[in-house]
Amino acid sequence: MKIENNRAVQIHYTLKDDQGEILDSSMDRGPLPYIHGVGALIPGLESELLGKEAGEKFTAVIAPENGYGEYDEGYVFQVGASEFEEDDEIEVGMQIQLDTENGPSIATITKIEGEEVTLDLNHPLAGVSLHFDVEVIEVREATKEELDHGHVHDGHQH
Ligand code: ZN
């Protein structure tokens, strides 16, 4: 059975950056289950998976625009350290949740200089070309309940 919209799919994947460094892999935790076509995966990976069958292996390089977006300097800004609660330990690399005009959003603290804290609202993988090694493990029709929920019900998700 080929991968099409509304089919329940399981894949193993390893994600590397341009330098070949592994950013993420399903190998230690088991295949990733998802429903094709509901926006569960980044668009570039979904279009590579379309039409593949169980047992197929492929590699794909996905440009930032089809991945986590281009890096946008406009999402980087400074706030005063006094904006944080007294007892919040803040350090570079920490991720915090912010309330923005577009709802809650995750920001990464990228610099702390004296009283000035730099926050970056870009996705950590924005601007990164994504190198995927993928193996399709299973393809089947999704159940009605899975489609209603937008996720697969085998394994550990429920
Ligand atoms: Zn569910």
Side-chain angles (χ1 to χ4, degrees):
M1 182 179 286
K2 290 187 195 302
I3 296 178
E4 284 177 17
N5 284 351
N6 295 338
R7 288 195 168 147
V9 182
Q10 295 204 39
I11 58 168
H12 260 310
Y13 70 92
T14 297
L15 169 60
K16 296 178 195 151
D17 63 15
D18 278 329
Q19 285 72 44
E21 191 179 330
I22 295 179
L23 303 172
D24 189 19
S25 175
S26 63
M27 286 304 177
D28 340 321
R29 48 178 193 264
L32 171 74
Y34 79 99
I35 296 186
H36 197 83
V38 301
L41 303 186
I42 56 167
L45 188 56
E46 285 217 345
S47 55
E48 294 284 344
L49 281 158
L50 185 67
K52 298 280 196 304
E53 297 184 57
E56 283 193 68
K57 290 184 185 182
F58 65 94
T59 61
V61 182
I62 293 164
E65 66 199 73
N66 295 317
Y68 293 98
E70 299 289 353
Y71 189 84
D72 187 342
E73 289 290 343
Y75 290 146
V76 179
F77 58 98
Q78 279 81 34
V79 295
S82 58
E83 299 283 321
F84 296 88
E85 305 280 338
E86 284 278 328
D87 41 346
D88 277 354
E89 291 284 335
I90 56 168
E91 56 184 59
V92 170
M94 221 170 88
Q95 296 196 314
I96 55 169
Q97 186 167 324
L98 293 183
D99 293 314
T100 70
E101 295 165 350
N102 305 317
S105 200
I106 301 292
T108 306
I109 296 176
T110 54
K111 195 158 59 163
I112 301 173
E113 260 177 358
E115 284 299 293
E116 193 179 80
V117 179
T118 302
L119 296 177
D120 189 340
L121 276 167
N122 286 287
H123 187 282
L125 293 178
V128 176
S129 291
L130 307 169
H131 298 248
F132 279 98
D133 290 317
V134 179
E135 180 178 2
V136 180
I137 304 298
E138 186 189 81
V139 184
R140 63 167 171 79
E141 298 292 351
T143 64
K144 185 177 176 305
E145 190 187 39
E146 287 173 326
L147 291 175
D148 286 346
H149 291 201
H151 56 231
V152 171
H153 281 167
D154 343 296
H156 33 260
Q157 284 209 13
H158 255 283

